[in-house]
Amino acid sequence: MMIVRELWREAARSPVLLAGAVLCLLLASATYLAQAFAIAGALAAVVSGDGSQVLAALAAIVGLGVLRMLLMLLQDALASHLGGHVRVALRRRTLRTALTATRLHDPTGRDGAMRGALTDGVDGTDAYVSKYIPALALVFLACPIVIAILVVVNPWAGLSAGLAVALALIGPLAWKRMMARRGLDHWDSYEALGADYLDALRGMAMLRALGDVPGTRARLQERSEALRRATERVMRGSLAETGVIDVAIQGGTVAAIMIAVVQATSGQPPAFETYLILLLVSEAFRPIRDLSRQWHAGFLGLTAVPALRSLGAFHADPPTAPAAEPLASDRPRPAGLRGPADRLDVRGVRYRYPTGDADVLDGVDLVARTGTLTAIVGASGAGKSTLLDVLLGLIRPHEGSSTLDGRPLRPDDVAVLSQRPVLFAGTVRENLCVTGARTDAELVDACRAAGVLDEVRELPGGFDAVVSEAGMSLSGGQRQRLALARALLARRPVLLVDEPTSALDAARAADVMTTLRHVAEDRIVVMVTHRVEDLRSTDIVVRLAHGRTTPVGYAQEVPV
């Protein structure tokens, strides 16, 4: 028996579904009890030779079986909805925490571990919420009722069954702490294997070039062995717990049967009561057997709880922020605010990371206008990425403001073209339309503005051409310009560009910079770059150093 308070609280957020799932399970259990009475009556009628009573009992047994089937179908639907609600809520909160500057810039974090928590970890909680919690509730509701009926029928049989139920529930608690510790080891091994595997897939081309494929294979094998050993330790502990439960159940069942047989041979109770004792003893332990089975089904989700807890999956949803604040929620904005803007003002922005000793941004000032291409330069670690995170709304500055034409800058004012844009497995159209459905004319206009229209038309299928995972079927320049077209289709007045040419050759880089100059004609474009060649295409250059910005007069003379 494992009580995870966080998952119980999550289930309680959907009280109607939780109560319905438990009630249906309780009613289904009641049909077992009713069938026990019907079967005992039928057996007693057979002994006494009462044929009509046998037929009535058989009809009741069949009817109760059909009713139980309908109840279990309804219970399964309610439980599935309950588990789905919890999964959606946990994944939403985990993503909210994961997509913050602290997490995104955490050098110790691993994408594979995050992926494991967001997918397998969250999905694994479903079995606990939808199956284990109702089963545990049934144990504490149905078992006392069955034992009470047994006590009425035969006090000694009821007492033996009650003691066995108590032992079956209390006995495994001795393994609780050990199983919890082994569960953590199991999830850590599972998480590490997933992270290493994802790293190997991402760097497969580099690993082959370096000749380190055998070494990578050996490391993955070692991780797999660690997971196997952790799984075996968990299974051994689980078998020991199951053994305690089985001993308690079998001991209670044998004791109750012996009591019933002794009294039957002595001629004390009628045949009906003897049969009923034998049937009810089995029903007293049915919820405990089901509980043990559901615990094993939900074990992976239980082991992932600490990882989900560290990611903030169980934190309460924050209240909606006021509309005037930079980190406002994604509520639809009034019509007209998504149109062109003239001026972006950043004034006195100050930010320090929670673990930092000094401000990364120490009173940053920046002005960018439509019609000009503004570049930000600075050494690595100067705070350029942090400034972009502030403008994107990923972090809230401790001081200062960011305004667009005099009003607070909002996250949905900003589109971004990252250094290594992410393209998804699918078609070109699907990659371009991630911000919403677009017409072919809109796709053509965006691709023409991004300078990639002719190349898209040359692909087999055009906009319906298949793009491989991570866009590996396209060249680096095509990926950059498709990502730029996608950013343009977001229809946002501010475009942030992070190192757009760092992975391109000189010719492709020049094409991208020409495109950005064209895009800057009707929107505010702010670019972070290290390449001198890029700076020659810009209008305004701002140096970021020691947390402060300094304008530079001539882009052509900026040393990087």
Side-chain angles (χ1 to χ4, degrees):
M1 181 173 62
M2 294 286 287
I3 304 296
V4 182
R5 294 183 179 87
E6 292 94 340
L7 293 180
W8 278 77
R9 283 196 295 267
E10 291 300 321
R13 294 179 190 273
S14 302
V16 175
L17 292 175
L18 178 59
V22 173
L23 179 61
C24 287
L25 204 58
L26 185 61
L27 292 175
S29 181
T31 63
Y32 281 113
L33 295 181
Q35 274 191 335
F37 279 89
I39 293 173
L43 293 175
V46 169
V47 173
S48 62
D50 189 347
S52 60
Q53 188 175 352
V54 172
L55 293 176
L58 291 176
I61 293 169
V62 173
L64 289 168
V66 173
L67 177 59
R68 181 168 59 252
M69 180 183 67
L70 296 175
L71 286 171
M72 291 308 298
L73 289 174
L74 178 59
Q75 195 276 339
D76 186 65
L78 292 172
S80 296
H81 280 83
L82 175 63
H85 283 198
V86 171
R87 288 201 317 274
V88 169
L90 292 180
R91 189 164 283 124
R92 181 186 67 246
R93 296 195 208 105
T94 305
L95 283 171
R96 183 190 67 207
T97 305
L99 298 178
T100 60
T102 303
R103 290 284 181 184
L104 293 174
H105 296 292
D106 182 7
T108 63
R110 303 189 66 186
D111 291 345
M114 181 74 71
R115 183 214 63 82
L118 284 170
T119 55
D120 298 338
V122 172
D123 290 341
T125 62
D126 190 327
Y128 184 91
V129 170
S130 63
K131 302 296 184 182
Y132 187 82
I133 289 179
L136 186 58
L138 183 66
V139 167
F140 288 102
L141 292 173
C143 288
I145 293 175
V146 178
I147 292 170
I149 295 174
L150 270 172
V151 169
V152 172
V153 174
N154 186 299
W156 291 108
L159 178 61
S160 63
L163 291 175
V165 166
L167 179 60
L169 292 175
I170 297 173
L173 292 179
W175 276 266
K176 181 178 180 181
R177 183 170 299 178
M178 179 187 68
M179 291 297 295
R181 183 176 64 254
R182 290 186 175 180
L184 292 177
D185 293 340
H186 179 270
W187 178 257
D188 289 343
S189 299
Y190 183 83
E191 200 174 55
L193 176 60
D196 283 354
Y197 186 68
L198 182 58
D199 287 346
L201 287 177
R202 283 177 172 173
M204 186 57 67
M206 180 62 68
L207 292 171
R208 292 182 64 183
L210 295 174
D212 192 39
V213 172
T216 301
R217 186 184 299 116
R219 287 192 293 272
L220 291 176
Q221 178 65 25
E222 183 180 350
R223 290 291 194 190
S224 298
E225 281 298 308
L227 178 59
R228 180 189 62 80
R229 291 191 296 269
T231 302
E232 288 180 351
R233 287 194 296 270
V234 168
M235 293 301 295
R236 286 195 294 268
S238 178
L239 287 174
E241 179 181 350
T242 302
V244 174
I245 295 174
D246 287 344
V247 168
I249 291 175
Q250 292 171 8
T253 302
V254 170
I257 290 175
M258 290 180 62
I259 292 171
V261 170
V262 168
Q263 293 192 353
T265 55
S266 63
Q268 294 181 14
F272 172 78
E273 292 184 7
T274 301
Y275 298 139
L276 186 60
I277 291 172
L278 298 177
L279 293 167
L280 288 179
V281 167
S282 176
E283 295 305 323
F285 299 115
R286 182 189 298 276
I288 296 177
R289 294 191 185 96
D290 291 341
L291 181 68
S292 179
R293 184 175 67 253
Q294 302 303 347
W295 183 89
H296 287 91
F299 177 74
L300 183 62
L302 291 178
T303 60
V305 166
L308 294 174
R309 187 185 295 123
S310 68
L311 290 173
F314 303 110
H315 293 170
D317 290 319
T320 302
E325 296 187 10
L327 291 181
S329 62
D330 294 329
R331 293 173 301 207
R333 295 190 299 158
L337 292 183
R338 195 177 282 273
D342 179 62
R343 178 182 172 112
L344 170 66
D345 278 282
V346 179
R347 297 297 181 192
V349 167
R350 190 183 305 276
Y351 183 78
R352 177 184 298 185
Y353 285 102
T355 58
D357 298 327
D359 291 336
V360 179
L361 304 178
D362 187 17
V364 167
D365 295 320
L366 175 69
V367 176
R369 294 181 174 87
T370 298
T372 60
L373 181 56
T374 302
I376 301 175
V377 298
S380 297
K384 302 184 297 298
S385 297
T386 303
L387 179 57
L388 293 187
D389 287 341
V390 170
L391 296 178
L392 283 168
L394 294 177
I395 58 178
R396 190 193 306 273
H398 302 316
E399 296 180 14
S401 63
S402 302
T403 59
L404 187 66
D405 287 348
R407 61 175 177 80
L409 180 70
R410 299 172 58 123
D412 55 0
D413 289 323
V414 183
V416 63
L417 176 61
S418 62
Q419 181 176 355
R420 293 179 177 83
V422 176
L423 296 182
F424 306 97
T427 65
V428 172
R429 184 188 307 275
E430 290 169 342
N431 274 278
L432 292 174
C433 295
V434 293
T435 58
R438 298 288 184 263
T439 65
D440 283 354
E442 291 173 315
L443 298 181
V444 168
D445 289 343
C447 288
R448 181 182 293 114
V452 74
L453 179 60
D454 292 341
E455 292 172 84
V456 169
R457 285 174 169 168
E458 291 174 0
L459 294 173
F463 287 111
D464 294 316
V466 175
V467 177
S468 65
E469 187 174 5
M472 295 305 295
S473 58
L474 304 173
S475 69
Q478 288 172 329
R479 290 197 295 270
Q480 281 285 0
R481 283 175 286 162
L482 275 177
L484 177 57
R486 180 171 61 189
L488 298 180
L489 286 167
R491 301 170 180 167
R492 296 179 179 182
V494 179
L495 174 63
L496 302 181
V497 186
D498 186 11
E499 300 285 358
T501 63
S502 62
L504 305 180
D505 58 34
R508 293 298 187 187
D511 291 341
V512 170
M513 291 306 303
T514 300
T515 300
L516 287 176
R517 284 202 60 83
H518 174 70
V519 169
E521 294 175 1
D522 61 359
R523 72 192 68 207
I524 298 168
V525 179
V526 178
M527 177 182 68
V528 168
T529 186
H530 282 90
R531 293 180 61 152
V532 175
E533 296 84 355
D534 295 348
L535 296 178
R536 296 193 179 103
S537 300
T538 61
D539 301 298
I540 298 174
V541 178
V542 176
R543 179 183 296 282
L544 180 59
H546 307 295
R548 294 181 176 273
T549 49
T550 305
V552 178
Y554 299 97
Q556 293 85 348
E557 300 176 1
V558 176
V560 178

